[in-house]
Amino acid sequence: CVGTPAPVTGLSGVVKVAAFSSHTMFLLGDGRVFAAGLNNVGQCGTGTSTSPLPTPVEAAAVPTAIAVGTGIDFTVFALASGIVMMVGSSPGPSPRERTSLRGARDLAVGYGTVLAALGNYWTVSSCTESSAQQHTANTLTFQLTPAEALTAGTSITVAALLQTQTQTNPSLPISGPAASAFGATASWTQDTGTLVLTVGSALAGGSVVEFSAVLVNPAAAQTPTITAGCSGNEHIATTPLPQSCLGASMPPSWLTRALAESSTDAGA
């Protein structure tokens, strides 16, 4: 410490500072976190217990964050995906998820207490498909369950639906139990692989939002990472869907296979 305030050199774009008795965390506008101070149990998030850290070092063991809080010998990070990670006294230098705090948008941390301001998030998110065959029409069925209600005007964006052969269509038909809440259409953009649905009538929190769209599979196998997010009146951070669709792992095959002959006479 110093007797009078002094600038912290080497850092810019700091939007939040969290400090406790022995370590300080700096959250930057781009989501990176830097730390300085005591790190004997890995509380600075560097992935090691090298201590002390006299100048700020990036907390590289934790992905980019939207909020950070410090306790006596631990640090809590809220990620844009809704996941909350903790490092320090109990988990040690390796981050561990705090599942009970999932969905946190802001944090208030004390000596040994964590308070989280919860935002909206998907409690369930999945994608299934009807076909893995290349060049084939594939019905993709999405199930998304928001923790809170989605009001009219909110947009759900399913992204990374790449390499499909379905051309851009601002009114792509959708089906399924929740299709009517979106006017039974979605805006499809082929180049970016995005499917945008606008909520026309409110969807209750905790309800399963299920809808389907037909896209033509890619011409070659791939390993996409499809995501779903929400913006507008409500916000849900872009979240990867656990199931893999549009992988197009099966090569094309004959739709029909038949052999015909002109005669059954012997010797003919």
Side-chain angles (χ1 to χ4, degrees):
C1 296
V2 293
T4 57
V8 177
T9 60
L11 284 180
S12 61
V14 176
V15 295
K16 182 176 181 179
V17 176
F20 210 79
S21 61
S22 60
H23 70 294
T24 303
M25 309 299 294
F26 305 89
L27 176 62
L28 275 57
D30 61 5
R32 290 181 298 156
V33 180
F34 284 75
L38 196 64
N39 188 43
N40 60 312
V41 289
Q43 61 264 51
C44 286
T46 60
T48 73
S49 55
T50 300
S51 183
L53 303 176
T55 57
V57 175
E58 186 170 0
V62 179
T64 54
I66 59 172
V68 63
T70 52
I72 179 64
D73 56 2
F74 65 93
T75 302
V76 185
F77 304 82
L79 310 185
S81 63
I83 293 173
V84 175
M85 309 294 291
M86 185 173 76
V87 294
S89 56
S90 177
S94 299
R96 184 183 69 186
E97 182 179 359
R98 291 289 301 270
T99 55
S100 61
L101 300 177
R102 183 171 172 80
R105 313 307 295 172
D106 203 358
L107 299 166
V109 183
Y111 184 91
T113 304
V114 179
L115 299 177
L118 299 182
N120 209 346
Y121 61 100
W122 305 121
T123 59
V124 174
S125 57
S126 68
C127 173
T128 57
E129 63 182 355
S130 64
S131 176
Q133 188 167 302
Q134 297 162 12
H135 300 284
T136 301
N138 187 1
T139 301
L140 303 176
T141 299
F142 301 92
Q143 287 191 336
L144 304 170
T145 303
E148 300 174 8
L150 300 183
T151 58
T154 301
S155 294
I156 295 176
T157 299
V158 181
L161 300 167
L162 300 171
Q163 305 301 322
T164 77
Q165 300 180 62
T166 301
Q167 295 183 351
T168 295
N169 184 347
S171 299
L172 185 75
I174 61 171
S175 59
S180 60
F182 306 104
T185 63
S187 178
W188 163 247
T189 304
Q190 183 183 22
D191 291 345
T192 57
T194 54
L195 187 70
V196 180
L197 303 89
T198 302
V199 178
S201 53
L203 295 166
S207 62
V208 179
V209 180
E210 180 178 326
F211 57 91
S212 299
V214 179
L215 299 175
V216 178
N217 274 339
Q222 62 174 358
T223 308
T225 302
I226 299 172
T227 63
C230 199
S231 61
N233 292 353
E234 310 293 340
H235 175 77
I236 296 177
T238 298
T239 307
L241 302 186
Q243 290 82 0
S244 178
C245 293
L246 286 180
S249 58
M250 296 174 59
S253 63
W254 301 110
L255 295 178
T256 60
R257 288 175 286 186
L259 175 66
E261 60 183 356
S262 62
S263 174
T264 59
D265 294 338

